[in-house]
Amino acid sequence: MLHKSKIKLAAVVGIALSVVSLLVHLFLANYSTGDFVQYKLRADDFYPVGKQKLRHRKLWGPVISLEALQPFANPRNFYPVPGEQNGFIYAKIYGGFDKIQSSICDLVAVARLLNATLIVPELQETLRSKGISSKFKSFSYIYNEEQFIAALANDVIVLKSLPNDLKEARRKTKFPTISPKNSASPDFYIREVLPRLKQSKVVGLIITSGGCLESILPSSLGEYQRLRCRVAFRALQFRPEIQELGDQMVGRLRASGHPYLVYHPGLVRDTLAFHGCAELFQDVHSELIQYRRKQMIERGNLKEELSVDSMARKKNGSCPLMPEEVGLLLRALGYPANTIIYLAGAGTFGGQRVIIPLRAMFANLVDRTSLCSKRELSNVIGPESPLPSNISYLPPVKSKKQLIEDWNRAGPRPRPLPPPPARPFYQHEKEGWYGWIAESEREPDPTPVDLRMQAHRLLWDALDYYISVQADAFFPGFHNDGRGWPDYSSLIMGHRLYQTASSITYRPNRKTLAELFEAVSDNLYHTQHNWTVLVREHLNKSLGVDGFLAEALLSKPTSFLSHPLPECSCRTSKFLSIANAVKDRYGQLLYGGEEECSEQMVLNLAKSSKADESKDDEEGELPEDDTDTEGQTESDNGGNDSNRPSEQDEEMDPDD
């Protein structure tokens, strides 16, 4: 009996010791991992559980303060159809997609101003490329040519080509050509171009700087601003192949029943070089940026020193937000880790390496290559003729006699052993834009493959533009860059503003955000709660009237299409008495004072609103977001809240 009681006592003591040991181990484990960041969802301080519909609306819109603004680009005053013409205008447009889009709109306005017949513009980026699809020619490589001509029938007479008798004269360069600045005034065309047009009947325009007419026109020329809107948002429709694939991609992005956000990094080599942002990158990328910056200085396009402090440029907002920073901002706003993000832009300088941190935070980061098959993308490109083979072969084998002659010319003996036979340079060693930097001081001329890829980038930019305009939310990494001509992100933001002013389009102030990031530079992933509040406050304010006005003051002087309001909008009667007119220092109207929308438009909006409300009622409460891995760990002083908001020549990468 005593023996059994001793066994029981020993068992109890053993169990007690085991429990104590387990508790000690758990305590030590918890203490030793206290400094690690653990990504788990915290309770939302801004939106308590049960208000999922409100959380969804704050992230995905609409922005209530801008709901009154509706697209309206029709003529308001007397606007006669084109009559007797003064002559013909043909144009060559240089540059990428953003410059092309803006230049065409300016060109149509100039043709109307001069009462001239416009010949469909020639896009040099496509004409330079040899062997692109013969199915499309120049303008029709991107746009629907028939739609362009028909949509402008009441504005400008547009022809596909010059009459035959004038074609021959153009080949012999009998007609004057003019290279206007992107800030050319209407008076310049009346004084300088119109007399030459009347005299020769044909004038050529060479457009290289993303436009040929100043952005802000006198109030008396308001109809020309609305004409720009009709060109950009109605006449310039992409060809059917691009639109069909774009619709398919949008359908795939929304197939899960969730909205999607588009992020455009804006990391372009030329822009980075212009602003001196080389130190944001490493190794070969920094050298490539500096080489391009040196070129700009030598050509007189940039009047600065070659070497500048990139960190200082970053702090004043001249450099882009890096993808890692954008990921942290989206998390601070409250976007869950399973948010669908589409990466726009034909190429991101720095390649996949700079995208990795963003992909780590948002696993559903996709681009056109992950949404489309190679066959679908090749269908957009169309049939292309094969390029000459670039394969390098072994040098020809020398004869015995030649080898002896080489040996005799080699010099006195003794001498080192002859070098091994030359080996071929394989294709993977030659391709790419970066290899030359280590061996040459001069960038090689673009090869036929490079020229073809540049033409393809126009298609990818057009495709991404189409998807971005329809997105539920848009976040620019680098807009309004201050170079003096339109940029890709700004054009998208302007189109979204015109089409649906109340859509979620963030307008971040990079200088403000640089200051916020500087405050937490040592602990980016373990920030304090008040930092998250400041980020949310800034970005949510950028969605509404404050961001609207700030963008108008910064972007509109450079590109009208980046902010085409109020000229191309009207206001619903429900909100007419709410808006106070805001003007800039020159007296130009920025916000408020818009004309009242027509009754028919108001009725259509009411029907659409009721349909949306009934749809929401059928869906009921929105489900909880699947955010098992979202959030940020609390810090020692209260942690970081990464939940919902409180308000609402592109380059290829060598490492891809």
Side-chain angles (χ1 to χ4, degrees):
M1 190 71 179
L2 182 61
H3 180 68
K4 288 183 178 181
S5 63
K6 288 183 179 180
I7 293 176
K8 289 181 180 179
L9 180 61
V12 171
V13 172
I15 293 172
L17 291 174
S18 299
V19 171
V20 172
S21 176
L22 181 61
L23 292 174
V24 170
H25 278 80
L26 289 174
F27 174 77
L28 291 175
N30 185 58
Y31 179 79
S32 63
T33 59
D35 293 332
F36 287 98
V37 178
Q38 301 175 17
Y39 296 96
K40 61 181 180 180
L41 185 64
R42 294 180 58 230
D44 199 321
D45 297 335
F46 291 91
Y47 300 105
V49 177
K51 296 186 178 180
Q52 300 300 321
K53 188 175 292 188
L54 178 61
R55 298 170 65 185
H56 186 275
R57 177 169 293 179
K58 294 297 181 180
L59 286 177
W60 302 106
V63 180
I64 304 299
S65 59
L66 298 179
E67 272 194 314
L69 299 176
Q70 302 299 326
F72 185 57
N74 294 340
R76 316 282 172 86
N77 305 313
F78 175 68
Y79 193 80
V81 297
E84 185 178 351
Q85 303 291 285
N86 291 322
F88 299 88
I89 291 179
Y90 70 88
K92 295 181 178 180
I93 299 177
Y94 291 83
F97 176 84
D98 44 359
K99 290 186 177 181
I100 290 171
Q101 186 90 352
S102 181
S103 298
I104 293 174
C105 299
D106 288 359
L107 191 59
V108 173
V110 168
R112 172 82 187 189
L113 180 68
L114 300 178
N115 193 26
T117 298
L118 177 64
I119 306 303
V120 171
E122 302 168 7
L123 311 184
Q124 298 303 302
E125 200 77 358
T126 63
L127 295 177
R128 291 174 63 204
S129 177
K130 305 299 182 183
I132 63 171
S133 178
S134 57
K135 186 178 178 182
F136 314 108
K137 182 182 178 181
S138 187
F139 187 88
S140 62
Y141 191 68
I142 306 176
Y143 301 107
N144 186 330
E145 198 171 83
E146 301 297 334
Q147 161 69 17
F148 179 73
I149 295 173
L152 296 175
N154 294 327
D155 301 295
V156 174
I157 296 176
V158 183
L159 299 179
K160 292 185 178 180
S161 63
L162 286 168
N164 292 331
D165 57 328
L166 297 177
K167 282 183 181 178
E168 187 64 28
R170 181 189 169 183
R171 292 192 189 98
K172 297 178 180 179
T173 64
K174 292 185 177 181
F175 302 129
T177 57
I178 301 170
S179 298
K181 298 180 179 179
N182 64 343
S183 59
S185 67
D187 289 340
F188 166 80
Y189 287 99
I190 298 298
R191 293 193 321 266
E192 303 292 335
V193 181
L194 185 58
R196 302 175 74 176
L197 176 65
K198 289 181 176 179
Q199 181 181 0
S200 62
K201 295 302 179 183
V202 178
V203 167
L205 297 182
I206 311 298
I207 306 175
T208 59
S209 54
C212 58
L213 185 63
E214 62 185 359
S215 175
I216 299 178
L217 299 177
S219 56
S220 59
L221 299 178
E223 292 300 340
Y224 290 89
Q225 299 289 54
R226 284 183 278 278
L227 174 56
R228 279 169 156 170
C229 289
R230 291 197 294 277
V231 177
F233 310 133
R234 297 182 190 174
L236 284 180
Q237 300 292 321
F238 300 126
R239 57 181 167 91
E241 294 85 354
I242 297 176
Q243 292 198 49
E244 289 172 8
L245 182 58
D247 289 333
Q248 292 178 22
M249 293 171 69
V250 171
R252 291 166 187 169
L253 287 166
R254 292 190 173 134
S256 62
H258 293 90
Y260 72 95
L261 178 145
V262 170
Y263 161 54
H264 180 247
L267 298 176
V268 182
R269 183 181 170 195
D270 284 1
T271 307
L272 294 166
F274 184 87
H275 292 289
C277 304
E279 294 175 18
L280 302 182
F281 295 85
Q282 298 175 351
D283 50 63
V284 70
H285 298 96
S286 295
E287 296 183 48
L288 287 164
I289 292 173
Q290 286 298 86
Y291 180 87
R292 183 57 55 85
R293 184 174 173 84
K294 182 180 178 182
Q295 280 185 324
M296 291 179 175
I297 294 172
E298 292 174 349
R299 295 171 182 173
N301 299 329
L302 181 62
K303 297 180 180 179
E304 292 183 1
E305 296 294 328
L306 175 61
S307 298
V308 294
D309 186 350
S310 297
M311 295 302 108
R313 295 294 177 95
K314 175 82 172 176
K315 290 178 182 178
N316 68 20
S318 296
C319 291
L321 294 169
M322 298 302 284
E324 180 182 19
E325 295 172 328
V326 172
L328 293 170
L329 294 174
L330 294 177
R331 277 178 41 184
L333 281 167
Y335 285 95
N338 66 338
T339 300
I340 300 170
I341 299 179
Y342 182 82
L343 187 67
T348 298
F349 189 80
Q352 293 299 318
R353 182 187 302 174
V354 299
I355 302 296
I356 287 174
L358 177 62
R359 195 181 299 277
M361 287 181 264
F362 295 92
N364 290 332
L365 179 67
V366 297
D367 58 13
R368 67 177 182 280
T369 59
S370 55
L371 280 180
C372 304
S373 65
K374 289 185 178 180
R375 179 181 293 275
E376 289 174 324
L377 295 176
S378 63
N379 288 341
V380 172
I381 294 172
E384 295 183 327
S385 58
L387 292 172
S389 175
N390 288 325
I391 300 176
S392 297
Y393 298 96
L394 287 168
V397 179
K398 294 183 178 181
S399 65
K400 185 176 181 179
K401 182 179 178 181
Q402 289 175 317
L403 291 173
I404 293 174
E405 291 176 354
D406 290 344
W407 179 266
N408 293 332
R409 284 196 301 266
R413 287 113 174 124
R415 56 174 173 242
L417 292 174
R423 69 174 183 84
F425 284 92
Y426 297 102
Q427 191 73 8
H428 71 273
E429 295 177 299
K430 298 198 320 172
E431 285 184 350
W433 42 261
Y434 63 94
W436 59 269
I437 198 76
E439 301 177 357
S440 172
E441 295 183 358
R442 180 177 177 274
E443 187 169 2
D445 295 330
T447 65
V449 174
D450 296 330
L451 295 175
R452 179 175 286 187
M453 293 299 294
Q454 289 175 12
H456 290 176
R457 288 185 187 121
L458 295 179
L459 299 177
W460 310 145
D461 279 334
L463 192 63
D464 289 350
Y465 182 95
Y466 187 81
I467 294 169
S468 300
V469 169
Q470 299 187 54
D472 301 282
F474 179 77
F475 198 105
F478 200 36
H479 71 293
N480 187 30
D481 60 17
R483 296 187 65 188
W485 52 64
D487 61 85
Y488 188 80
S489 287
S490 293
L491 289 180
I492 292 173
M493 295 166 72
H495 197 149
R496 289 172 61 84
L497 181 63
Y498 167 82
Q499 183 170 288
T500 312
S502 59
S503 61
I504 296 293
T505 303
Y506 292 100
R507 305 174 183 92
N509 184 311
R510 294 188 298 277
K511 184 176 181 180
T512 300
L513 292 177
E515 293 173 356
L516 290 173
F517 278 115
E518 179 70 16
V520 294
S521 58
D522 296 331
N523 221 358
L524 281 176
Y525 288 86
H526 204 198
T527 55
Q528 302 297 320
H529 176 78
N530 60 343
W531 184 86
T532 303
V533 174
L534 291 173
V535 168
R536 291 186 176 191
E537 181 180 348
H538 170 70
L539 291 176
N540 286 322
K541 188 179 289 186
S542 76
L543 296 172
V545 176
D546 290 341
F548 176 97
L549 293 175
E551 192 67 22
L553 294 171
L554 291 173
S555 296
K556 198 166 186 175
T558 301
S559 169
F560 173 75
L561 294 181
S562 65
H563 196 90
L565 273 60
E567 291 88 346
C568 299
S569 67
C570 63
R571 183 177 290 272
T572 55
S573 57
K574 179 181 177 182
F575 298 91
L576 277 176
S577 60
I578 297 177
N580 296 319
V582 179
K583 297 182 179 181
D584 63 11
R585 59 180 178 174
Y586 302 108
Q588 293 279 349
L589 186 66
L590 297 178
Y591 177 75
E594 296 89 355
E595 294 186 16
E596 182 178 354
C597 297
S598 64
E599 293 182 4
Q600 185 61 43
M601 182 180 291
V602 174
L603 289 173
N604 293 338
L605 289 171
K607 291 179 182 178
S608 176
S609 178
K610 288 181 180 178
D612 292 340
E613 289 177 4
S614 62
K615 183 179 179 181
D616 289 341
D617 292 339
E618 290 175 4
E619 291 176 352
E621 288 295 320
L622 292 167
E624 287 281 356
D625 292 316
D626 179 16
T627 54
D628 293 338
T629 60
E630 186 207 355
Q632 300 178 42
T633 300
E634 300 181 19
S635 67
D636 296 337
N637 296 327
N640 172 47
D641 182 11
S642 61
N643 303 298
R644 312 294 184 211
S646 57
E647 301 174 4
Q648 280 291 20
D649 290 352
E650 299 97 338
E651 306 288 351
M652 301 298 293
D653 181 60
D655 302 307
D656 283 355

